[in-house]
Amino acid sequence: MGRIGAEIQDAASTFIRIGASGPVLHEHLPRMIVELRRKVPKLRFSLLEASAPDLIEAINRDEIDIAVTNLHRSMPADLHSRLLARLPLTLLVPRQSKLRSAADLWKRQTIDEPLISLPGDEPIAAIFQRGLAKQGVEWLPSLVVSSLDLIETYVAEGFGFGVSVPIPGVKHSAKVRALPLTGFDPLEVGIIWGGRESELVRTLVEAFEKQAGALGLGN
């Protein structure tokens, strides 16, 4: 292999395109990149913040190499995944709400509070609706937003109740209260990638598994 070919190969082996949700990019990835650079000193990377469905599409279009996101029930067969954690769903209510248990909602004939939710193709929203169906409850979103941050913001401002998950390292606003959603399936979070598992991808997967274990989230 010539000098130019070797340089191109070396550059490719130290560059990775990572996609994830905002909390992962803001709260966890910076310290992991520091750790990774101890193993791969020449590490270069690009970052994409997007929703779970958009991250899957980005992998399929070869726009990113790896995504840290919610795992779908049915993913394309040519994608690989590794489970990192199972996060319990919670119901966010305004702090001044008298509701102390989500189960008390299911006892009502109708739920008057508006539901604030992610889009229906997001795993959190789909899991929540499946759980409602098991309870024999119909509660459709009144407000659909694009992120968990926005759900919390609008719950805090009194626009309704919202479905969310606890984000490791991120505290809820003092204006909201999180109620456990007992009997609902957890959200599975993991790493997804396509094609062959390169050495760099393998190193990143191991780093995320280590981080999940350190946070007590190991599956």
Side-chain angles (χ1 to χ4, degrees):
M1 181 183 298
R3 178 180 61 82
I4 294 177
E7 289 176 355
I8 292 174
Q9 186 180 58
D10 181 62
S13 67
T14 57
F15 177 70
I16 191 163
R17 302 165 298 174
I18 305 169
S21 64
V24 172
L25 294 180
H26 290 288
E27 300 295 331
H28 303 293
L29 195 59
R31 73 190 74 169
M32 291 179 57
I33 293 296
V34 171
E35 180 67 26
L36 282 170
R37 276 186 162 162
R38 293 173 182 166
K39 299 179 180 179
V40 188
K42 296 181 180 180
L43 179 68
R44 298 173 302 117
F45 56 92
S46 66
L47 302 177
L48 171 67
E49 180 177 348
S51 65
D54 289 343
L55 289 171
I56 299 295
E57 285 301 314
I59 291 178
N60 285 329
R61 293 193 298 265
D62 193 31
E63 295 173 353
I64 59 175
D65 301 303
I66 192 168
V68 184
T69 186
N70 310 331
L71 300 180
H72 289 244
R73 275 190 162 188
S74 56
M75 288 196 304
D78 58 341
L79 295 186
H80 310 283
S81 65
R82 187 78 59 84
L83 176 65
L84 290 175
R86 292 182 173 90
L87 304 178
L89 266 62
T90 57
L91 185 69
L92 298 185
V93 303
R95 177 65 64 177
Q96 66 269 24
S97 171
K98 296 180 180 180
L99 188 69
R100 291 295 184 270
S101 168
D104 291 340
L105 278 180
W106 320 146
K107 299 174 184 177
R108 301 181 185 177
Q109 290 187 342
T110 60
I111 301 176
D112 297 325
E113 289 82 2
L115 173 62
I116 307 169
S117 173
L118 293 176
D121 60 350
E122 283 276 7
I124 291 177
I127 293 170
F128 183 64
Q129 289 298 326
R130 289 199 300 268
L132 289 178
K134 291 179 182 178
Q135 302 286 345
V137 174
E138 183 178 7
W139 190 18
L140 299 178
S142 298
L143 177 59
V144 176
V145 298
S146 60
S147 71
L148 295 180
D149 285 345
L150 285 175
I151 288 178
E152 183 165 326
T153 295
Y154 280 85
V155 171
E157 294 301 322
F159 283 84
F161 295 172
V163 59
S164 186
V165 293
I167 303 298
V170 179
K171 293 183 178 180
H172 287 302
S173 163
K175 294 183 178 181
V176 306
R177 183 187 311 114
L179 304 178
L181 284 168
T182 305
F184 287 68
D185 293 334
L187 175 71
E188 294 187 338
V189 178
I191 302 181
I192 303 171
W193 68 94
R196 295 179 59 187
E197 182 180 278
S198 67
E199 183 63 33
L200 191 53
V201 167
R202 189 177 303 113
T203 300
L204 191 59
V205 169
E206 291 173 355
F208 269 104
E209 288 180 326
K210 181 179 178 181
Q211 177 73 0
L215 292 170
L217 300 173
N219 62 83

